[in-house]
Amino acid sequence: MKFKSWFLLVLLFLVTGINAQIKNPVKFKFTINELGDNQYEAVLNATMESGWHIYSKDIPEDTGIPTEYKVSGKNIELIGKFTEVGKKHEEFSEAFGGNIVYYSNSAGFKQKFRLKDGTKPGDVVAEITYQTCDDRVCLAPNTLEFNKQVTPKGSVEETEPATAEPSKDSAKTETAVVNPAKGPVANTETSKLDPKQLKIESINFEKPLTDCGVASEKVAENYWTYLLLGFIGGLIALLTPCVFPMIPLTVSFFTKGSLNKAKGKRDAFIYGFFIFLIFVLLSVPFHIIDGIAGNIFNEISTSVWLNIAFFIIFIFFAGSFFGYYDITLPSAIANKSSKAEEAGGIVGIFFMALTLVIVSFSCTGPILGSLLGSAVTGSANVPMLLTFALAGFGLAWAIIFGLLALFPQALQSLPKSGGWMNTVKVVLGFVELALALKFLSKADLVSKTFLLKRELFIVIWILVALGLALYLFGLIRFPHDDKKPKISITRKILGVLGLGFVIYLVQGLIPSERPKLQLLSGILPPLNVSYFHDEKDGILGMHPEHDFFNAVELAKKEGKPILIDFTGYGCENCRKMEEFVWSESDILPILQNDVVLASLYVDDKEELPEDQKTKIDLGDGQVKKVKTIGDRWSLFQQVNFNNNSQPHYVLLTPDGKVINTPVSGYMPKEDFKKFLECGVNYYKNNK
């Protein structure tokens, strides 16, 4: 998962690999419904595990693998085309640069047909080709076959699913067997899948030659990162003119306004706790919304109009920080809360905390709005992440008030209120202005207008960064700035950093085979939305082998280990790895010089020769056809590595021994580097 934060402007990728195993997150049930008048309906219902989805037949080209459903058989005549049933979801994919359409939880596929001869039974063969993905990996495209017999006279006689009656197009193939516990097993006596033998006996992924210690357990949302980011946001908010002057006044009230100093400090701590509690309570409505409609935040994040609305809101926030107007809650709310303070005791302290939160809204509102907008459009588990982020925000305030109440003498060391606080607000205004563009970009991408190209985005950011630098050097003023501001050393240093950021951005305008501006990869438009985009053969200038056995011969000749990259043309996370990890300066040379790269595409649609096609009986009436190159490499992966997810990376010696534990899924650069270096170094030292 990734998170775009206004106070860091850095995309954090904090996901790891997963344990190698055969995954089967989709279950199918095949039925035939009688419609009357010699018409029937072949229905295939799919049920998906939580977090997994399959693509619709209407998915755009060059993205995922569209689902195909075919019905054929003896004495069968189709009526129209197949239809899909279920709730479609649509969201923009930055890796593919376009929208993807998919089903989660459940989906149905229906095909109407009639019996050519209404007095004779019909043998119905249903075949579905589909791809399953979650937010980290995609499984190899799968083709399953289901058989049933339908008899006339208004009754459907269900027979045990079998492969004894193969369809016409598979009459020349033979059937291999499958062990459900271990995945597909090639039957070398009957399978004609690969004359070089599909199963490599020397491959034993369970006992690699060495262990790199690369984490392989799936990590859920990193709540602690959001807590930290919220904490940083809270500290920044404390420096604004709406909040900072309140600190000494409030702490002095508790430490000096009571004859009992211990009671005063205790009340100050309670005050801090209530501030923390109030910010946490702000996230409660989002949990309620999530309970009503679990997919609502995904729909929000991919809505063109809501992203445009966020863009306008962020621009509005920026204007407030620049000092052109204030964003405040209705005064009646603050008045009622302030009046409730008179209740005294714990209740009075609570309303004092609530009053602080309300009256400081003109400064904290835009910051909290930025936090909300970033989380809603950048994460799957929005409610919990918002809770942790807001908890971090409130925790920063609670700690500062608590510590100052405990050590009131520290108040003397705090800087005095002054023009520097307005400088903080204006700087935040420039940040808001820059991040507003992200929402406009997402609306542009989702709508497929592609007007906001990557280079145009960068140019606008350069102008914003230049404006910030000019402001910090005192060359630009805003309404609340002093007429003759004193430019401190801190402002000058920040101004120089702003110019440095401009220089960093400029390199993104220079065409290059390698991706640049990696720190902003989750914020900028994808590489293919560019004035200079040009499809080129190969990956990052490399031309990997696409046949494992050719890679083996090359590895023996060059004396290098083989890096098997189980990938797919429709694999979003594979593209992310190539663009954001492989392209790194300390990763790419290893791939170019130290290994023989074998990229095996499990969704390659080129058909195998007839004598290499086969079938695999998966049980429960499901038969997997192996008729394409992609099918071959998918089965090769499952047979030898007991894994069917992409991306999946394996380092092998030329004689087929697994060097270190294979890894799967999108992962941080350091984990992938550790995996590569450990395996390559072991091979060099032991060959």
Side-chain angles (χ1 to χ4, degrees):
M1 294 268 104
K2 52 188 178 181
F3 173 49
K4 286 75 72 178
S5 170
W6 64 268
F7 20 73
L8 291 184
L9 292 177
V10 175
L11 180 66
L12 299 179
F13 293 105
L14 296 167
V15 291
T16 60
I18 58 176
N19 291 327
Q21 58 183 342
I22 298 293
K23 300 178 181 66
N24 186 25
V26 184
K27 305 296 182 184
F28 289 98
K29 182 179 180 181
F30 181 51
T31 58
I32 296 179
N33 299 330
E34 182 185 4
L35 303 178
D37 194 24
N38 191 33
Q39 292 190 10
Y40 303 85
E41 190 175 52
V43 181
L44 188 61
N45 289 313
T47 304
M48 288 145 269
E49 294 179 4
S50 177
W52 293 87
H53 62 263
I54 61 176
Y55 294 113
S56 165
K57 64 181 176 65
D58 300 318
I59 193 170
E61 293 183 4
D62 301 324
T63 55
I65 303 299
T67 298
E68 297 180 6
Y69 181 53
K70 300 177 182 178
V71 175
S72 60
K74 188 182 299 183
N75 196 28
I76 298 298
E77 180 182 357
L78 301 184
I79 302 174
K81 298 181 179 180
F82 84 91
T83 58
E84 297 177 338
V85 180
K87 183 178 180 181
K88 285 185 180 180
H89 304 287
E90 184 173 351
E91 69 175 50
F92 179 78
S93 166
E94 293 185 350
F96 289 137
N99 285 7
I100 56 174
V101 185
Y102 61 91
Y103 293 94
S104 59
N105 299 322
S106 64
F109 305 91
K110 298 182 178 182
Q111 175 65 64
K112 291 183 180 180
F113 67 92
R114 64 170 60 91
L115 297 177
K116 293 180 180 179
D117 186 342
T119 64
K120 296 181 180 180
D123 295 322
V124 182
V125 179
E127 178 182 299
I128 186 167
T129 300
Y130 67 98
Q131 185 175 38
T132 315
C133 298
D134 68 359
D135 60 347
R136 300 181 61 256
V137 298
C138 283
L139 306 186
N142 208 0
T143 299
L144 299 179
E145 185 180 283
F146 302 82
N147 300 317
K148 280 188 181 292
Q149 189 178 78
V150 57
T151 61
K153 299 180 183 179
S155 63
V156 179
E157 180 183 347
E158 296 186 2
T159 61
E160 288 296 323
T163 58
E165 297 287 342
S167 59
K168 182 178 180 180
D169 65 340
S170 60
K172 296 182 180 181
T173 65
E174 301 185 32
T175 303
V177 297
V178 63
N179 182 334
K182 297 183 178 180
V185 178
N187 186 331
T188 55
E189 295 182 358
T190 62
S191 174
K192 297 179 181 178
L193 180 66
D194 196 308
K196 301 175 183 177
Q197 191 175 14
L198 180 69
K199 173 65 179 175
I200 310 299
E201 296 300 331
S202 58
I203 292 179
N204 186 349
F205 74 93
E206 294 180 340
K207 293 183 179 180
L209 298 176
T210 187
D211 181 16
C212 296
V214 179
S216 61
E217 294 183 0
K218 183 176 179 179
V219 176
E221 301 284 1
N222 198 318
Y223 299 122
W224 301 112
T225 300
Y226 280 73
L227 183 74
L228 175 61
L229 294 174
F231 186 84
I232 295 172
L235 292 179
I236 294 175
L238 285 169
L239 300 178
T240 60
C242 309
V243 183
F244 189 81
M246 302 287 290
I247 296 175
L249 293 175
T250 305
V251 172
S252 297
F253 172 82
F254 286 112
T255 57
K256 298 179 181 179
S258 174
L259 297 177
N260 188 332
K261 300 299 182 184
K263 180 180 181 300
K265 292 183 178 181
R266 183 198 66 190
D267 289 346
F269 279 117
I270 294 175
Y271 178 73
F273 170 76
F274 280 143
I275 293 174
F276 168 79
L277 179 63
I278 289 168
F279 280 111
V280 171
L281 291 176
L282 290 176
S283 70
V284 171
F286 298 97
H287 288 272
I288 297 174
I289 293 174
D290 189 52
I292 297 172
N295 198 48
I296 189 171
F297 292 108
N298 176 63
E299 295 174 0
I300 289 174
S301 68
T302 57
S303 167
V304 174
W305 296 112
L306 283 174
N307 274 280
I308 291 176
F310 274 122
F311 167 73
I312 295 172
I313 290 171
F314 270 56
I315 296 295
F316 187 65
F317 287 162
S320 173
F321 276 142
F322 288 148
Y324 292 113
Y325 44 80
D326 288 328
I327 301 174
T328 59
L329 292 174
S331 58
I333 297 177
N335 292 338
K336 289 181 179 179
S337 178
S338 180
K339 187 175 181 180
E341 295 176 19
E342 299 174 3
I346 294 180
V347 175
I349 296 174
F350 172 82
F351 280 101
M352 283 186 65
L354 182 60
T355 301
L356 173 67
V357 173
I358 293 172
V359 299
S360 63
F361 185 79
S362 61
C363 291
T364 60
I367 297 176
L368 292 174
S370 304
L371 192 64
L372 169 63
S374 298
V376 166
T377 58
S379 177
N381 192 357
V382 175
M384 281 303 300
L385 295 178
L386 279 176
T387 297
F388 272 78
L390 290 170
F393 196 97
L395 185 63
W397 287 27
I399 289 177
I400 294 299
F401 280 105
L403 288 178
L404 289 176
L406 188 61
F407 305 104
Q409 61 274 18
L411 288 171
Q412 303 301 321
S413 61
L414 289 179
K416 294 182 179 180
S417 300
W420 65 269
M421 291 186 297
N422 186 67
T423 301
V424 172
K425 281 188 64 177
V426 172
V427 170
L428 292 178
F430 279 103
V431 174
E432 295 276 342
L433 201 61
L435 286 188
L437 204 61
K438 170 59 183 172
F439 296 98
L440 184 62
S441 172
K442 188 146 194 179
D444 174 60
L445 295 171
V446 172
S447 64
K448 296 186 179 180
T449 53
F450 301 126
L451 298 176
L452 188 56
K453 303 290 187 182
R454 185 180 179 93
E455 292 77 21
L456 178 58
F457 189 110
I458 293 172
V459 167
I460 295 175
W461 266 39
I462 288 174
L463 294 176
V464 172
L466 280 174
L468 174 60
L470 292 175
Y471 170 75
L472 292 171
F473 288 130
L475 301 177
I476 297 177
R477 290 191 297 110
F478 288 93
H480 295 305
D481 287 318
D482 296 332
K483 292 183 178 181
K484 294 182 179 181
K486 182 180 180 181
I487 309 303
S488 64
I489 296 296
T490 302
R491 283 187 62 160
K492 292 178 181 178
I493 292 174
L494 291 176
V496 171
L497 291 177
L499 293 177
F501 187 58
V502 170
I503 296 172
Y504 172 74
L505 289 172
V506 167
Q507 65 176 318
L509 300 177
I510 303 173
S512 173
E513 291 185 1
R514 297 183 182 181
K516 295 183 178 180
L517 308 182
Q518 294 295 290
L519 290 177
L520 305 177
S521 59
I523 298 176
L524 298 175
L527 291 172
N528 59 333
V529 183
S530 165
Y531 293 115
F532 307 111
H533 177 64
D534 182 21
E535 288 286 341
K536 295 182 179 180
D537 294 335
I539 303 172
L540 299 171
M542 300 181 294
H543 292 78
E545 294 291 331
H546 298 304
D547 184 293
F548 169 75
F549 302 101
N550 291 342
V552 170
E553 296 303 318
L554 184 60
K556 290 178 179 178
K557 180 180 178 180
E558 297 185 356
K560 297 178 181 178
I562 306 164
L563 174 63
I564 304 180
D565 163 35
F566 288 106
T567 184
Y569 294 108
C571 173
E572 182 175 3
N573 288 296
C574 302
R575 301 292 84 76
K576 288 181 180 179
M577 281 293 295
E578 293 164 5
E579 182 176 331
F580 304 145
V581 177
W582 288 21
S583 62
E584 290 285 343
S585 59
D586 50 350
I587 297 291
L588 191 57
I590 300 176
L591 300 177
Q592 292 174 325
N593 306 318
D594 297 332
V595 300
V596 171
L597 179 60
S599 292
L600 306 182
Y601 285 83
V602 299
D603 55 1
D604 191 326
K605 293 300 183 182
E606 183 179 343
E607 291 216 1
L608 292 165
E610 287 297 321
D611 64 348
Q612 293 187 30
K613 295 180 181 180
T614 188
K615 284 186 177 183
I616 300 175
D617 188 352
L618 300 178
D620 296 329
Q622 302 184 36
V623 177
K624 177 178 173 61
K625 286 187 174 182
V626 182
K627 58 182 181 181
T628 67
I629 291 176
D631 295 336
R632 175 178 66 182
W633 297 129
S634 174
L635 184 61
F636 178 81
Q637 180 184 3
Q638 295 178 55
V639 167
N640 292 288
F641 303 103
N642 196 36
N643 185 285
N644 64 338
S645 62
Q646 293 80 45
H648 185 66
Y649 303 105
V650 185
L651 275 168
L652 290 177
T653 63
D655 58 351
K657 291 184 174 60
V658 178
I659 300 176
N660 51 352
T661 305
V663 293
S664 291
Y666 183 86
M667 67 192 75
K669 182 197 75 171
E670 292 305 321
D671 282 356
F672 190 63
K673 181 180 178 181
K674 185 177 181 180
F675 162 75
L676 288 177
E677 290 183 338
C678 175
V680 169
N681 291 338
Y682 179 88
Y683 177 78
K684 288 180 178 179
N685 295 330
N686 292 276
K687 67 177 180 178

